[in-house]
Amino acid sequence: MNPVTPMSVALNPIPSLPPAASAPPSYLVGQDGEGHWVAVEAGGRAGGIFRSRQDAIRYACLETGCRPGDVPLAAGPIPLRLS
């Protein structure tokens, strides 16, 4: 009778994931005090004035990767600073 010799099994470790890239910024879409449709990055570093609500949402969606919840509509006027 042959004794059973345990076999060592080489497990491949799970490869480490690369450091997470910084997430795209969140945007807020709404109207400024004059009624223009605007999309403004949450940190105030980017944004613009648009012809329509749909255009503002489309821009913000493209900038955020169209992730749900990253393009909320503002309840009130959004101050837009032009630098």
Side-chain angles (χ1 to χ4, degrees), residues 1 7 9 14 18-19 29 40-41 43 56-57 60 63 77-78 83:
M1 195 169 184
M7 291 180 52
V9 177
I14 297 173
V29 171
V40 180
E41 189 262 334
I57 292 172
E63 291 295 311
I78 298 175
S83 300

Side-chain angles (χ1 to χ4, degrees), residues 5-79:
T5 306
M7 291 180 52
S8 62
V9 177
L11 297 176
N12 291 331
I14 297 173
S16 61
L17 297 174
S22 60
S26 295
Y27 277 75
L28 183 62
V29 171
Q31 291 179 298
D32 65 7
E34 296 179 11
H36 302 111
W37 282 101
V38 298
V40 180
E41 189 262 334
R45 294 180 295 266
I49 300 173
F50 299 87
R51 290 180 295 171
S52 68
R53 179 179 128 180
Q54 182 179 0
D55 289 339
I57 292 172
R58 183 179 300 122
Y59 166 79
C61 184
L62 289 172
E63 291 295 311
T64 61
C66 295
R67 293 184 323 237
D70 280 348
V71 185
L73 293 176
I78 298 175

